[in-house]
Each structure stands twice: as structure tokens, then as C-alpha cells.
Amino acid sequence: FMTDYDGFWRSLKLGAIYAFGSVTLQTVVGVGVALLLNQSFIGRGFVRALALFPYMLPTIVVVILTRWIFNDSYGVVTYALKNIGLMPIEMAWFAPETIMLTLILVSTWTFFPFIVIGVLARLQTIDPELYNAAQVDGAGTLRRFWHITLPQISSVLFVLVLLRFMFMFTKFDMIWLFAGAGGLGYYVRTLPIYTFVKTFGEMQVGMGAALSVILFLLLAAFAALYFQILKRHRE
């Protein structure tokens, strides 16, 4: 199966695209929301709880809601984008060429609170005197973020990104419910989906076992990297 470029290698490529795309957006959105929630404003506790809401929803609920929200005919997202002029042409969110993008956007909304929790916890431990001193020296918001905030959260952020990449690369339920059950599974057939189809769909148990071993070895490599980084951080 290692020579099956339309099977194994394609699923590996799609898994990397899905993991990289969703984790990148999760990181950008998560850090931005964490910075916002670290500020003092009225109702901050309620907004913090609201920001964590997507992460608490069951996967099946997220899939049902988003398939309705992104519906090509009456979906809220399609209607809103058309009215504000950001989508001048018809766009099918569940077409073969756009299903991966839609899946990445939905996964970003569902899992970005994981980044928010970790980054916000680290932001609250940064000494405010660092920002006060930088502000006295004339540093603006961008420079304070680049020279103070980012170095302070970099170690935590790296671990969070590594964990999220592991989780997204092995994600099964979201992809299967979102696209697999709707007949578009081929266009988002990542390695876990490909392994499931080969094992239980085509009853090729031997190939499924081999694919499972490969998936396990990839996860073991990520886990070894994670524990090595965690060890250095503690030292």
C-alpha cells in the first residue's frame, strides 16, 4: 500500500493539510481571543465562559449545526456574506473543492478554546511591571506584544500547537460525521478515515492493521517530541 499514491499517500497529504490549516487558524484566533480576554472590561467572566462554549459542545451537535449554518441555500453564513458583499458569487460550502476549507473553518471554531485556555493562563502570570516599563520607554502595543508577550508565551504556545497538531492529525469523528456520512469522505479522507475504510468498509484487515501501526508510530514520534520539550521546559 506504500505505492498507492491515490490511497495512503493522498490520505497522509490530506491529513497534513487538515492538521496544519486548522491548527494555524486555531492558534491565531486562540491567541487573539486570549489577549482580548486578558483585558479588564465589564462582563469579562461571562465572555470568558462564552468563549469556551464551542469546546464543550458534543461533536454531533457541532456537525448538525454547521451543516445547517453553511447550507448553500438558506445557511446563515451564506446569507450574511452575500448581504455584506463578501461573497459576490455563489459558493457551495459542501462541494468537493471546498469541503476541506469548510471542515477547517468548523474545526477552528470548535477547538480554538483549547488554545485560549492555555495562553490565557500564561498571560495572567506575566509581571505587569514589564509592560509598565516598556510603556514608559515608549513601546507601542505591537512592540510590547512582540518583545514581551510573545517570548513569555512561546514555550506554552509551542506545546499547545504540538498537542493540537497531534489531536487534529488523528481526528476521526468530526471528519466522518461532517463529510464521510454525506458522501464527500473521499475529498477529506485523512489517514484515520482511510484506515477505518480499509478495515471495516473493504474488510482488508491486514492493511488496516498495518495502517494502524503507521499511525501509532507517527503519534509516538509526536509524543516523544512533546515529552522532550516538556522535560527541557521543567529543567
Side-chain angles (χ1 to χ4, degrees), residues 39-171:
Q39 307 299 317
S40 297
F41 55 88
I42 299 176
R44 183 175 64 173
F46 174 76
V47 177
R48 284 181 175 180
L50 190 63
L52 303 180
F53 177 71
Y55 198 64
M56 297 184 291
L57 287 176
T59 303
I60 185 62
V61 174
V62 173
V63 171
I64 293 174
L65 286 175
T66 52
R67 290 189 71 88
W68 171 72
I69 292 172
F70 283 93
N71 187 277
D72 304 334
S73 302
Y74 52 80
V76 176
V77 172
T78 303
Y79 178 80
L81 291 178
K82 284 182 178 179
N83 277 310
I84 62 179
L86 293 180
M87 196 171 71
I89 59 175
E90 294 292 333
M91 179 177 178
W93 293 99
F94 296 99
E97 59 274 9
T98 56
I99 186 65
M100 177 61 80
L101 174 62
T102 308
L103 180 60
I104 288 174
L105 292 176
V106 173
S107 299
T108 299
W109 177 79
T110 306
F111 300 112
F112 85 91
F114 186 89
I115 302 291
V116 173
I117 294 172
V119 173
L120 183 58
R122 181 66 183 93
L123 287 173
Q124 293 176 338
T125 63
I126 300 177
D127 188 358
E129 292 299 324
L130 296 174
Y131 294 103
N132 294 335
Q135 194 168 9
V136 169
D137 291 338
T141 303
L142 184 59
R143 292 187 62 185
R144 292 199 300 271
F145 171 78
W146 186 258
H147 294 288
I148 299 176
T149 305
L150 193 58
Q152 292 288 331
I153 67 173
S154 59
S155 58
V156 172
L157 191 59
F158 186 82
V159 173
L160 291 173
V161 169
L162 182 61
L163 286 175
R164 286 268 24 113
F165 192 88
M166 291 172 58
F167 296 157
M168 302 313 296
F169 187 78
T170 58
K171 182 61 65 178

